[in-house]
Amino acid sequence: MTNPIKIVIAGPRGRMGREAVKMVTCQRHFQLVAVIDKENDGKQLSEVESEFQGVDCLIYTDIHTCLKHTEPDCLIDLTVPKAAFYHAKAALELNVRPVVGTTGISPDELEELKALANEKKLGCIIAPNFAIGAVLMMKFSQMAAKYFGDVEIIELHHDGKLDAPSGTAIKTAEMIHEYREPKQQGHPNETEKLTGARGAEFYGMHIHSVRLPGLIAHQQVIFGAKGETLTIRHDSYDRSSFMTGVKVSVETVMKLDGYVYGLENILD
């Protein structure tokens, strides 16, 4: 039997992080060796979170100390943009392969991670969305963009989400743009009676962000043509829906020798 993949999780007490801890500890070929939290340094995860009774895993607040002491193969980061970039960069510098599901990292920071991963020939996966259905939604939207030039994106998330538009919406727009000629969507002389009514604009496409309690992660891409519309929609009703993608990413990042942005690039 091959050795298990040694994993550190950053953000274990967040909503996504909790699901990641459950997923990793249920896989026989994964080994959770530590977690990184903003507090509780030196305690066991089971001490501070009752749902993780029996999970023997030390909490670190400093990523460099954590990675040097535990020597993991992979870092899963599910924190916030500023911390995610810092963690991913530290991981690459210490020859640990990062899998990052945090959105909102700036383009310049993503380029820095890309350059570092490629220079060191280390796998690094940044994924705006780990749900397999969401990745298919983006792929289907890209296919439709070959035939429909008029499109708008509506993304809906919980009201605790820090970034808008979502990373998934931006990634979807980028993928559509590869096949769609830039075109101003809507009437050329339209005026906004309220600023922001038409949402954000990306090469003429409009992206609308909804933030409400009760939502998890949802997106619909609406295409319009003469006499018809096409709507492609994905809904995540539980954060466990993201864990299949996290699992696949961890398994895949160990085989990569560079940077990958977007789960669609590692799926068959």
Side-chain angles (χ1 to χ4, degrees), residues 44-56:
Q44 291 287 331
L45 183 59
S46 56
E47 288 182 63
V48 298
E49 293 293 338
S50 59
E51 66 181 295
F52 296 131
Q53 293 300 314
V55 178
D56 296 322

Side-chain angles (χ1 to χ4, degrees), residues 181-236:
E181 289 295 324
K183 175 183 178 180
Q184 186 63 43
Q185 179 57 44
H187 194 285
N189 298 322
E190 69 182 14
T191 59
E192 289 185 333
K193 293 182 178 179
L194 293 175
T195 300
R198 293 291 285 125
E201 186 178 324
F202 186 91
Y203 290 98
M205 288 178 274
H206 290 276
I207 304 175
H208 310 268
S209 296
V210 177
R211 297 290 178 266
L212 289 171
L215 297 172
I216 299 292
H218 318 262
Q219 180 170 295
Q220 57 184 8
V221 186
I222 307 173
F223 295 90
K226 188 174 182 179
E228 64 177 326
T229 61
L230 170 65
T231 300
I232 302 172
R233 179 174 177 121
H234 175 261
D235 298 275
S236 283

